[in-house]
Amino acid sequence: MKPLLRTTVLIAVAGGLVAAPAAAAHAVSAYPATPHGLTGKQLMAPGQYLAAAQQPRPANHHGAPPAARPDAPAQQQAPASGPQAGGPQAGGPQANGPKAARTHEAVEFFWYNCSHSARLESPLTNWAARHQSDVKLRRVPAIWVGSPDEAEQRTHARLFYTLDRLGEVDRQQAAVFRAVRDEHADLTTEQRATQWAAAHGMDAAKFRSAYHSPEVDRAVEQAPKLFSDYRVNELPTVVVDGNGRTSPTRAGGVENVPAALDQLVADGNAGH
């Protein structure tokens, strides 16, 4: 069963169901501007992705548990309505930090044991490299509360934020995907994750220390709220400037996601 459950899932939310689109016209979904409930603050040293603070979520926040896995096949998806909360708007203030020089933010939600997330890793990295001057890419490990894989997702999120704490995400992200998806490595415990890290050139003692650090603890606890506040219903999903998103299903395939992201960035530039 397990391989069958590693494909894309779309889950209906908040009382409206529409058929999942397959046409390229649905590759980009624009959301109306709404008040955001997250500050988007990050601890840039030593990690790039460790979230340090956020505002309370809105009272009407959608947080219903999923009816299926986040990467399982489904026939329906949520309607294109605005998120109650999301990431910081492009050009918006960063809490306790300098104003971002880049004009757009792309937030990717992924899971190491999701086949589509693994396939998107290289194209997304290349896309971000082409947009170094105008887009800031932020990765968020998915924790879907109530899903059958929540426990595994939490351990993978801890691994991601540990790598970030050590400044190893850029160097190791693709390697983790290969280990989990291709080599079927179990990296869900401290011991196994530390052994893997040591085999990839990291200091085992430093890895263990980061693995249980307060910063990583906070980031792992925050991840489910980010997942819910951004109203993610498919893995992977990339949200641009909090107002538009794309995914393999919306774009008509993983290979089309970079082009859909280009369109989102262009739409954002046109709106400035």
Side-chain angles (χ1 to χ4, degrees), residues 166-216:
L166 297 173
E168 292 281 350
V169 167
D170 289 344
R171 191 166 72 93
Q172 302 294 351
Q173 185 78 344
V176 180
F177 274 117
R178 285 195 301 271
V180 174
R181 292 297 309 167
D182 300 336
E183 301 165 12
H184 307 291
D186 182 356
L187 303 181
T188 61
T189 68
E190 177 190 358
Q191 179 180 0
R192 289 168 179 162
T194 302
Q195 290 172 345
W196 181 90
H200 284 74
M202 286 170 269
D203 183 275
K206 291 181 179 178
F207 185 90
R208 290 192 188 95
S209 178
Y211 197 85
H212 292 294
S213 67
E215 293 83 2
V216 169

Side-chain angles (χ1 to χ4, degrees), residues 73-267:
Q75 300 300 319
Q76 296 172 314
Q77 73 172 40
S81 59
Q84 283 96 352
Q89 293 286 358
Q94 295 289 325
N96 298 332
K99 187 175 181 179
R102 296 171 185 173
T103 58
H104 302 280
E105 181 186 57
V107 182
E108 181 210 15
F109 288 85
F110 72 94
W111 177 29
Y112 283 133
N113 209 6
C114 167
S115 61
H116 289 90
S117 295
R119 288 175 55 198
L120 182 60
E121 170 57 27
S122 180
L124 183 63
T125 298
N126 293 337
W127 177 85
R130 293 196 304 271
H131 285 272
Q132 288 186 31
S133 63
D134 61 340
V135 178
K136 177 181 180 180
L137 175 63
R138 185 158 68 104
R139 303 179 191 272
V140 178
I143 299 179
W144 192 315
V145 174
S147 75
D149 297 297
E150 179 184 352
E152 183 180 10
Q153 289 168 355
R154 284 186 179 274
T155 60
H156 284 171
R158 182 168 293 277
L159 171 59
F160 171 82
Y161 285 121
T162 299
L163 293 174
D164 178 53
R165 181 75 176 159
L166 297 173
E168 292 281 350
V169 167
D170 289 344
R171 191 166 72 93
Q172 302 294 351
Q173 185 78 344
V176 180
F177 274 117
R178 285 195 301 271
V180 174
R181 292 297 309 167
D182 300 336
E183 301 165 12
H184 307 291
D186 182 356
L187 303 181
T188 61
T189 68
E190 177 190 358
Q191 179 180 0
R192 289 168 179 162
T194 302
Q195 290 172 345
W196 181 90
H200 284 74
M202 286 170 269
D203 183 275
K206 291 181 179 178
F207 185 90
R208 290 192 188 95
S209 178
Y211 197 85
H212 292 294
S213 67
E215 293 83 2
V216 169
D217 287 345
R218 286 196 299 268
V220 172
E221 288 307 306
Q222 185 191 25
K225 185 180 188 305
L226 290 170
F227 185 94
S228 184
D229 281 348
Y230 276 85
R231 301 187 72 180
V232 177
N233 55 15
E234 179 181 353
L235 292 178
T237 286
V238 185
V239 182
V240 176
D241 298 335
N243 294 322
R245 66 185 57 207
T246 191
S247 64
T249 296
R250 290 180 183 272
V254 171
E255 66 278 4
N256 296 328
V257 168
L261 290 171
D262 284 337
Q263 185 62 55
L264 284 170
V265 170
D267 290 346

